[in-house]
Amino acid sequence: MRGDWNDHWAGGWWWMSIMMVVFWVGVVWVIVTVVRHGNHAAHTHAPVQGPVSPKPTPQEVLADRLARGEIEPDDYRQRLDALVHQPGSSQ
């Protein structure tokens, strides 16, 4: 009778060990699947971008420099005049 009792519990422990391995393999599989799906979704959708601003004109760059205090008003006028009246300019 004692042999039957030990055999019963030994078989039960093996069964529990196998089920724990299956459980943890399942948990890892779910995590890997979720991470891969998340990365795939991030790469398949186009990134959301704001409106593309056009390249600033030389006059706008000059005005920005004046606004930031990088150049003086007299220098601004002189440089603006040089931009507007460039040789070969259509203006």
Side-chain angles (χ1 to χ4, degrees), residues 27-44:
V27 168
V28 170
W29 177 80
V30 168
I31 291 171
V32 168
T33 302
V34 168
V35 168
R36 282 188 179 174
H37 179 69
N39 287 342
H40 178 70
H43 293 306
T44 57

Side-chain angles (χ1 to χ4, degrees), residues 40-85:
H40 178 70
H43 293 306
T44 57
H45 298 298
V48 177
Q49 296 178 351
V52 178
S53 59
K55 186 176 177 182
T57 64
Q59 290 85 355
E60 291 172 335
V61 172
L62 193 59
D64 286 342
R65 289 187 64 197
L66 176 66
R68 287 193 301 266
E70 294 176 7
I71 58 174
E72 297 295 321
D74 291 336
D75 195 21
Y76 168 77
R77 285 195 239 16
Q78 181 183 4
R79 290 174 188 232
L80 183 61
D81 187 47
L83 283 173
V84 172
H85 298 101

